[in-house]
């Protein structure tokens, strides 16, 4: 063997690293032991002790499992929550519309406080309409009321003014002209037309307060 070949072999032996076993992959330590696998919040896994979703090892070993499980639980619950929210939003709007059209519908008698000695909810008098105007109808003699009713071409016959004031027809009556000195039934007793009663501002505020409790 010439000197050049021997020198080459010596160089290879010198450069070759010593043989070593490949180091084993370091074991990953679970950061949230109570939140992985089949364990639930009953095991204290509801509160995460560590959450670094952008860390590759963490995401692969436990982050993805925890996140996926939470999504399976939260998405159906959120869907139901928003569905109920939407349903009640539509329902409340429909209730308000129905009550505005007919005070006898959804007048919330059980929630309405007693008003002027009467606890009949938000309808009739004094439950819904201006109190002074209502008094003119309550004070109307029965004969006068029946006479007016016969000339008014109502869709139903009412035994007295109190019953009539709870009806949809009373709600639809035109009120006295603005600035007029006559209100309600008082004008009919003096030879004119009978007028309906405007909604009481006080009762309207009380009704809104009940809605937004």
């Amino acid at each position: 063997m010439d000197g050049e070949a021997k020198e080459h072999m010596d160089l290879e032996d010198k450069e070759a690293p010593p043989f070593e076993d490949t180091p084993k992959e370091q074991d990953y330590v679970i950061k949230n032991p109570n939140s992985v696998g089949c364990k639930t919040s009953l095991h204290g896994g509801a509160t995460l002790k560590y959450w670094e979703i952008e860390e590759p090892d963490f995401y692969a070993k436990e982050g993805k499992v925890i996140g996926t499980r939470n999504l399976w639980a939260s998405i159906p619950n959120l869907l139901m929550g928003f569905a109920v929210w939407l349903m009640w939003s539509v329902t409340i709007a429909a209730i308000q519309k129905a009550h505005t059209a007919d005070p006898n519908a959804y007048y919330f008698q059980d929630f309405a406080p007693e008003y002027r000695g009467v606890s009949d909810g938000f309808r009739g008098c004094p439950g819904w309409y201006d109190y002074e105007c209502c008094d003119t109808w309550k004070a109307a003699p029965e004969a006068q009321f029946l006479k007016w009713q016969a000339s008014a071409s109502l869709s139903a016959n009412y035994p007295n003014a109190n019953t009539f004031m709870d009806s949809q027809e009373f709600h639809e009556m035109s009120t006295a002209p603005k600035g007029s000195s006559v209100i309600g039934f008082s004008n009919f007793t003096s030879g004119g037309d009978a007028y309906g009663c405007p909604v009481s501002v006080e009762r309207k505020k009380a009704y809104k307060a009940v809605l937004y409790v």
Side-chain angles (χ1 to χ4, degrees):
M1 178 181 299
D2 56 15
E4 185 178 351
K6 184 178 180 180
E7 183 180 352
H8 180 72
M9 290 182 64
D10 290 343
L11 183 62
E12 286 183 349
D13 292 341
K14 188 180 294 185
E15 292 179 352
F19 176 80
E20 293 181 1
D21 293 334
T22 304
K24 295 182 179 180
E25 182 181 354
Q26 186 177 3
D27 293 335
Y28 176 81
V29 179
I30 298 295
K31 306 292 194 306
N32 301 286
N34 292 331
S35 302
V36 296
C38 297
K39 294 182 179 181
T40 65
S41 60
L42 296 177
H43 294 81
T47 302
L48 297 176
K49 297 179 179 179
Y50 181 85
W51 187 258
E52 193 60 50
I53 200 65
E54 294 184 0
E55 185 180 310
D57 285 344
F58 175 80
Y59 179 78
K61 300 295 183 181
E62 55 182 306
K64 183 177 180 181
V65 174
I66 296 173
T68 302
R69 183 183 60 194
N70 288 350
L71 286 175
W72 276 106
S74 62
I75 289 176
N77 281 277
L78 286 171
L79 177 62
M80 292 299 296
F82 281 113
V84 172
W85 183 15
L86 176 62
M87 179 189 71
W88 276 112
S89 299
V90 174
T91 301
I92 289 297
I95 288 176
Q96 180 62 63
K97 185 177 180 180
H99 180 76
T100 301
D102 181 6
N104 287 308
Y106 305 106
Y107 60 94
F108 299 115
Q109 179 177 0
D110 294 337
F111 299 97
E114 186 175 297
Y115 180 68
R116 294 182 180 268
V118 178
S119 180
D120 196 29
F122 295 100
R123 67 168 183 172
C125 286
W128 191 241
Y129 302 103
D130 178 75
Y131 189 74
E132 292 183 3
C133 180
C134 288
D135 276 349
T136 65
W137 283 89
K138 289 182 176 181
E142 184 176 346
Q144 288 286 322
F145 171 75
L146 294 177
K147 180 181 178 181
W148 170 82
Q149 181 173 228
S151 63
S153 302
L154 301 177
S155 62
N157 289 323
Y158 301 92
N160 51 56
N162 282 330
T163 305
F164 175 63
M165 285 189 290
D166 287 337
S167 70
Q168 174 66 15
E169 289 184 288
F170 181 78
H171 182 68
E172 294 175 351
M173 285 186 67
S174 299
T175 58
K178 191 174 182 179
S180 175
S181 59
V182 294
I183 56 174
F185 198 80
S186 61
N187 195 44
F188 181 78
T189 56
S190 59
D193 295 326
Y195 294 110
C197 295
V199 175
S200 168
V201 175
E202 183 180 355
R203 294 304 284 163
K204 197 169 185 179
K205 288 182 179 178
Y207 178 71
K208 288 183 178 180
V210 170
L211 287 183
Y212 296 108
V213 167

